[in-house]
Amino acid sequence: EPRAQPRAQDDSEGDSAKGLDALIMTCLLWFQLVMASLYHIYVALEEEIERNKENPVYTPLYFPEELHRRAALEQDMAFWYGPRWQEAIPYTQATKRYVQRLQEVGHTEPELLVAHAYTRYLGDLSGGQVLKKIAQKALNLPSSGEGLAFFTFPNIASATKFKQLYRSRMNTLEMTPEVRQRVLDEAKTAFLLNIQLFEELQGLLTQKAKDHDPLQAPELHRRAGSKAQDLAPTKASRGKPQPSVLSQAPLLRWVLTLSFLVATVAVGLYAM
């Protein structure tokens, strides 16, 4: 009889450990899915920027060395999905809609490309360092920055000064009141596409969890599973919440969304 209570306690601690493992895995998978979507988005955005780099409606904002993210995201994809990442990364429906809109703008309404470039680049530049620190702590990532190259802009010494330069270049763009309004509307569209993307990824994870159905990305699961083991609570700490995971991981979503919202509002102020 006296031994029954410790056994119940062990069961409780085991359940807590499993729950924490599941939370860690969910956070990792969500982050990896976001990074994969960002890869597709930036590939499309930068292809359209290259197409229009000599077009007066975009030329003043052409900063490939400072801003372009494709090379950094390719490094991150190799970290998260392995050497055959091009075959493994997911391409969700919301991501496809985002990409299609970027392509449509680049081909038919290049004057609106500034709305997407501003909200994406300056949004990510503004929140990049904060997100990097949160991700490193919440997901126990290497301090060297592996897996987070996207959030580092090595050719920008001062984010504040660069944003000032970027805005001054925006002021050199010749726009009629009608075009300015369309740019503002397009910034709102970009923000909605971003929100829809996050909602879809969250829904995807939630549905898969309910169905007990793993996402169709074996390499992602292998790497996420490995990292989850690294983050798993030790025997001494089981049953106790880990603040770095429980409190900081959800901040990733909030900061990503908030930085994008701030950039969207900034486009609105510019268009006024």
Side-chain angles (χ1 to χ4, degrees):
E1 288 297 329
R3 295 181 181 179
Q5 187 173 355
R7 187 179 298 117
Q9 183 177 354
D10 289 343
D11 291 342
S12 177
E13 290 178 353
D15 291 341
S16 297
K18 290 179 181 178
L20 183 56
D21 287 347
L23 174 62
I24 294 169
M25 179 68 78
T26 298
C27 291
L28 284 165
L29 292 176
W30 184 87
F31 189 74
Q32 289 168 306
L33 287 170
V34 169
M35 296 300 285
S37 292
L38 288 175
Y39 169 76
H40 292 298
I41 289 166
Y42 274 97
V43 166
L45 175 60
E46 290 168 8
E47 284 178 352
E48 299 312 318
I49 287 174
E50 289 298 320
R51 186 191 312 280
N52 291 281
K53 64 183 179 181
E54 297 180 1
N55 190 323
V57 301
Y58 190 80
T59 300
L61 303 178
Y62 185 61
F63 291 97
E65 295 299 321
E66 293 83 357
L67 293 177
H68 284 197
R69 301 284 82 202
R70 180 172 183 169
L73 281 164
E74 287 176 349
Q75 294 178 33
D76 292 338
M77 292 302 97
F79 175 83
W80 289 111
Y81 291 91
R84 301 181 67 179
W85 61 267
Q86 290 176 313
E87 302 172 14
I89 60 174
Y91 193 14
T92 69
Q93 289 302 311
T95 306
K96 289 178 182 178
R97 288 195 296 271
Y98 204 145
V99 166
Q100 289 168 357
R101 181 55 189 165
L102 289 169
Q103 293 170 338
E104 182 180 358
V105 165
H107 282 78
T108 65
E109 300 177 283
E111 65 275 14
L112 303 184
L113 199 56
V114 59
H116 289 279
Y118 190 103
T119 52
R120 281 254 59 103
Y121 288 123
L122 268 68
D124 293 325
L125 179 60
S126 297
Q129 290 307 305
V130 175
L131 281 165
K132 183 178 180 180
K133 291 177 181 178
I134 294 173
Q136 282 176 329
K137 291 182 179 179
L139 305 179
N140 198 30
L141 296 175
S143 59
S144 60
E146 288 180 274
L148 299 170
F150 169 76
F151 299 106
T152 302
F153 292 77
N155 294 323
I156 296 179
S158 168
T160 299
K161 291 181 178 179
F162 184 83
K163 286 185 282 187
Q164 292 173 348
L165 170 63
Y166 198 90
R167 292 182 187 117
S168 69
R169 291 288 188 89
M170 282 186 69
N171 290 332
T172 68
L173 296 174
E174 295 185 6
M175 293 187 185
T176 65
E178 183 267 339
V179 171
R180 283 179 178 269
Q181 183 58 48
R182 287 169 56 214
V183 168
L184 175 56
D185 292 340
E186 191 64 26
K188 294 176 182 177
T189 296
F191 180 71
L192 290 175
L193 287 168
N194 191 69
I195 294 301
Q196 290 169 7
L197 172 62
F198 285 173
E199 289 178 346
E200 179 194 56
L201 296 183
Q202 182 59 41
L204 180 61
L205 286 177
T206 300
Q207 187 58 48
K208 293 295 182 181
K210 288 180 179 179
D211 297 342
H212 303 287
D213 181 22
L215 293 168
Q216 301 303 310
E219 182 67 19
L220 182 151
H221 270 273
R222 184 183 68 78
R223 298 172 83 81
S226 174
K227 297 179 193 306
Q229 288 178 1
D230 293 339
L231 280 165
T234 62
K235 185 175 182 180
S237 66
R238 280 177 181 169
K240 299 178 181 179
Q242 293 186 344
S244 65
V245 175
L246 295 177
S247 62
Q248 294 193 52
L251 286 176
L252 290 168
R253 303 176 197 181
W254 281 106
V255 177
L256 275 168
T257 304
L258 181 60
S259 61
F260 201 84
L261 174 60
V262 169
T264 305
V265 171
V267 173
L269 293 175
Y270 161 77
M272 290 176 63

